[in-house]
Amino acid sequence: MSDTVIQSTSSSNALCTSQRPESKWQSFKDSFKPVVVDMSDVDPNLTEYERAAIRTSRSPLSKKLRGRHLQMIAIGGSIGTGLFVGSGGALRTGGPASLLIGWGIIGTMMYSTIQGLGELAVAFPISGGFNAYATRFLEPSIGFAVAWNYFMQFAVLLPLELVAASITIKFWNTTVNPDVWVLIFFLMVVAINLFGVKGYGESEFVFSIIKVIAVVGFIILGIVLIGGGGPQGQYVGDKYWHDPGAFANGFKGVCSVFVTAAFSFGGTEMIGLTAAETKEPHKTLPTAIKQVFWRITLFYIVSLIIISFLVPYNDTSLIGASSVDAVASPFVIAIKNGGVKGLPSVINVVILISVLSVGNTSVYATSRTMVALAEQNQAPKICGYVDRAGRPLVAIMITNVFGMIAFCAASEKQVEVFNWLLALSGLSSIFTWASINASHIRFRAALYHQNRGVDELSFVSQTGVWGSWYGLVMNALVLVAQFWIALFPIGSSPNASDFFMSYLGLPVILASWIGHKIWKKNFKVLLRSDEINIDAGRRDIDMDLLKQEIAEEKEVLASKPLYVKIYKWWC
């Protein structure tokens, strides 16, 4: 009997132990264990790329991004050194008219591109986003080349932004070794990303709010200064449009601005990467996609109009303006020229925050791209390691290794090193946007060929398939403009160094594309419309129910007042 009691007691203790909640430390340790995606129910007769499409749709990445995160990422996510600093170099080489023409045309191209991306992202909220769409709707070698080039772009951008942050600090302090600041900012970015996608979302939410407030404040101040309401009381008006003039280097100056404007919009497509980590993408993504229009109009075009009135293109402070020199920011120069004291430091704080924001985004972009590549068998499987907290740990660690290049900040060769690193992927954004446009066009072609329609889509691009054709053509024209500027640079004679510094990205992506074709022995140029699987991996696979929900939403909207319809269209 005693044995029975002992056994019963032992069982009871075991039960109590099994029911005892895990300690916080144990729970923390367990969060780093990998998540295995179950693919046992997938039809083995599917092609390799159809199975890859399903794997990307089942990615174990954490789905903790909320509507407010997406909206702020959409509005202020890519506002960074391209606008705050790079616009100074564009003003110097192109003049105020070129500045507005360049950003205006690239802005309309970006709006059309993001509309097409939104349609794809809502229908296919998969890891890797637009990089995976190129594989799925164009052909695998294009997807491979575009994705690795995109990875390289942001992997290089991380150390560049860390160095830019250390240079921005020189506005206040020039005695501390730049590597000290690089270390501080590097640890900050690493810590944010170890909190997972929620850490990224919350930090970008705060960063974006600060950037938006700063730009709106600058616009208000700029209007006052133009009207003569500044400390100096001098009416500025449009005098700089007449002296020194509207154009700095004629048509070539306009073409040079196209390239800088395209760089400043880099990261706008990031909203497509967030789809896989959004809880209800069909509800939150459309609003975020529409708000890109307001970012382009208000935060880029309006602020640059203010700059064009306050800073002449021959201002000596713009000489030597580069993507890492915050002192040459036209925003800072405009405030200084207006006689306002103290605010230049505030703008530099905003530039510093923008730099850190881009560095933070770089880790997010590269890690998610690498996971998608691993899920598509285009990168080592270990790169697709995602833990129970939804963090792609291995991909984050690899990205952070690239970040250590930033410790060359104290070296005399830092500018030369980064110029060549950037040259490797300098055209990456153009290729990425072109692939998004082409993917959307091919998706619509597959729908038409398979007798399907847009009535089964939760979100339809407001610019339609013609918007994607416009975006594709504009991206091609930017490549042509960049080729011309690379071959015949402004202010110097043709030389091999300047050409490859500007156009090295093209042979790199061609080598990636050809290399993948040889590796996979796949020499197909483009998938046929009937080869494109438009159902594999879709979350909304019950088409009848989906069409009914869409019809009900349209019916409800039709009953609303006109102002509500207008608001819903734009917001």
Side-chain angles (χ1 to χ4, degrees):
M1 181 173 177
S2 60
D3 290 343
T4 304
V5 172
I6 292 172
Q7 186 176 359
S8 175
T9 305
S10 176
S11 299
S12 176
N13 289 337
L15 182 63
C16 290
T17 303
S18 65
Q19 292 178 342
R20 187 180 300 152
E22 287 184 340
S23 66
K24 289 184 178 180
W25 173 245
Q26 186 62 41
S27 178
F28 173 74
K29 288 194 298 181
D30 288 345
S31 71
F32 290 93
K33 293 180 179 179
V35 176
V36 179
V37 178
D38 183 17
M39 294 285 289
S40 60
D41 61 329
V42 177
D43 185 354
N45 297 317
L46 293 176
T47 66
E48 175 189 352
Y49 299 110
E50 287 174 331
R51 291 174 64 84
I54 295 173
R55 273 196 298 272
T56 55
S57 69
R58 297 183 180 183
S59 179
L61 293 170
S62 177
K63 296 174 176 57
K64 292 185 178 179
L65 285 179
R66 302 292 185 234
R68 63 184 179 88
H69 297 138
L70 293 183
Q71 288 173 28
M72 290 314 300
I73 290 171
I75 292 175
S78 68
I79 296 175
T81 52
L83 174 64
F84 288 125
V85 183
S87 57
L91 177 62
R92 179 169 57 89
T93 58
S98 298
L99 195 72
L100 299 183
I101 291 171
W103 258 268
I105 291 177
I106 298 299
T108 59
M109 180 270 287
M110 280 309 305
Y111 177 69
S112 300
T113 300
I114 297 304
Q115 283 288 318
L117 174 60
E119 182 174 303
L120 292 173
V122 173
F124 306 94
I126 58 179
S127 70
F130 42 83
N131 297 314
Y133 300 147
T135 297
R136 181 170 190 158
F137 300 117
L138 300 177
E139 65 94 17
S141 295
I142 296 177
F144 175 86
V146 169
W148 274 110
N149 207 247
Y150 191 77
F151 170 86
M152 195 186 308
Q153 174 193 1
F154 278 96
V156 171
L157 199 57
L158 172 61
L160 178 69
E161 295 301 322
L162 292 174
V163 171
S166 70
I167 292 175
T168 304
I169 292 291
K170 288 183 179 180
F171 186 82
W172 301 283
N173 187 306
T174 58
T175 58
V176 178
N177 189 310
D179 281 345
V180 173
W181 298 113
V182 168
L183 178 61
I184 292 171
F185 298 137
F186 176 73
L187 293 176
M188 188 183 302
V189 170
V190 170
I192 288 172
N193 280 275
L194 283 180
F195 280 102
V197 71
K198 193 169 184 180
Y200 167 74
E202 293 296 346
S203 61
E204 283 305 301
F205 180 77
V206 174
F207 290 157
S208 294
I209 286 177
I210 294 172
K211 288 186 283 187
V212 167
I213 292 173
V215 173
V216 171
F218 173 79
I219 290 171
I220 295 171
L221 174 63
I223 293 171
V224 173
L225 293 177
I226 292 170
Q232 297 175 350
Q234 183 179 3
Y235 174 74
V236 178
D238 62 349
K239 72 174 184 178
Y240 295 137
W241 278 72
H242 300 285
D243 181 22
F247 295 94
N249 289 287
F251 184 65
K252 184 179 283 189
V254 176
C255 290
S256 70
V257 171
F258 282 146
V259 177
T260 309
F263 170 77
S264 78
F265 281 110
T268 306
E269 73 288 336
M270 197 67 62
I271 196 73
L273 275 182
T274 63
E277 296 177 87
T278 304
K279 190 173 183 180
E280 296 179 312
H282 65 287
K283 293 182 179 180
T284 54
L285 271 177
T287 301
I289 291 295
K290 291 175 185 177
Q291 288 176 348
V292 169
F293 169 81
W294 297 108
R295 180 212 297 177
I296 294 170
T297 304
L298 180 62
F299 303 119
Y300 283 90
I301 305 302
V302 176
S303 62
L304 289 175
I305 289 173
I306 299 297
I307 289 294
S308 73
F309 282 106
L310 291 176
V311 183
Y313 72 73
N314 61 354
D315 191 304
T316 54
S317 299
L318 291 173
I319 295 175
S322 68
S323 62
V324 295
D325 190 2
V327 178
S329 167
F331 288 76
V332 174
I333 295 169
I335 294 173
K336 280 185 174 180
N337 290 350
V340 180
K341 297 181 179 180
L343 279 182
S345 289
V346 174
I347 293 295
N348 269 276
V349 170
V350 176
I351 292 173
L352 179 60
I353 289 171
S354 299
V355 166
L356 293 176
S357 172
V358 175
N360 185 37
T361 297
S362 297
V363 178
Y364 180 84
T366 50
S367 58
R368 272 55 180 186
T369 299
M370 183 166 279
V371 167
L373 283 164
E375 290 170 343
Q376 297 172 85
N377 296 321
Q378 294 178 336
K381 287 186 178 179
I382 188 63
C383 296
Y385 184 105
V386 178
D387 66 14
R388 294 181 183 179
R391 296 168 297 198
L393 288 181
V394 172
I396 288 175
M397 286 191 293
I398 292 172
T399 303
N400 289 335
V401 169
F402 276 91
M404 292 181 181
I405 300 174
F407 288 104
C408 74
S411 169
E412 296 178 357
K413 297 287 186 179
Q414 60 150 301
V415 175
E416 185 178 345
V417 169
F418 281 109
N419 281 342
W420 283 107
L421 284 174
L422 280 174
L424 289 172
S425 57
L427 301 175
S428 178
S429 290
I430 307 299
F431 296 135
T432 298
W433 299 334
S435 75
I436 292 170
N437 296 137
S439 296
H440 182 234
I441 292 168
R442 296 300 298 158
F443 169 62
R444 285 292 190 92
L447 276 178
Y448 177 80
H449 183 86
Q450 299 174 31
N451 295 318
R452 309 270 287 273
V454 295
D455 59 334
E456 65 182 52
L457 301 176
S458 299
F459 174 75
V460 179
S461 168
Q462 293 172 321
T463 57
V465 72
W466 290 110
S468 291
W469 275 112
Y470 169 74
L472 189 60
V473 170
M474 286 307 305
N475 277 298
L477 291 177
V478 170
L479 285 176
V480 172
Q482 174 74 333
F483 182 82
W484 184 36
I485 297 300
L487 199 58
F488 303 101
I490 295 175
S492 63
S493 57
N495 62 89
S497 178
D498 282 348
F499 177 79
F500 285 108
M501 193 77 73
S502 301
Y503 228 72
L504 186 59
L506 182 61
V508 168
I509 200 165
L510 285 176
S512 302
W513 178 65
I514 294 170
H516 185 266
K517 285 202 166 297
I518 295 172
W519 173 36
K520 290 293 184 178
K521 296 181 174 60
N522 170 31
F523 300 101
K524 183 175 293 186
V525 177
L526 202 65
L527 292 174
R528 297 194 313 270
S529 297
D530 59 347
E531 292 179 308
I532 297 175
N533 189 328
I534 55 179
D535 290 320
R538 286 187 68 172
R539 289 188 192 177
D540 301 314
I541 201 64
D542 188 339
M543 290 302 166
D544 292 332
L545 179 60
L546 179 60
K547 289 180 180 179
Q548 183 182 343
E549 290 177 354
I550 294 171
E552 289 174 356
E553 289 175 2
K554 289 182 178 178
E555 188 178 343
V556 170
L557 182 60
S559 65
K560 298 292 183 181
L562 180 61
Y563 70 88
V564 174
K565 295 176 184 177
I566 295 173
Y567 174 81
K568 285 293 183 182
W569 170 264
W570 289 111
C571 301

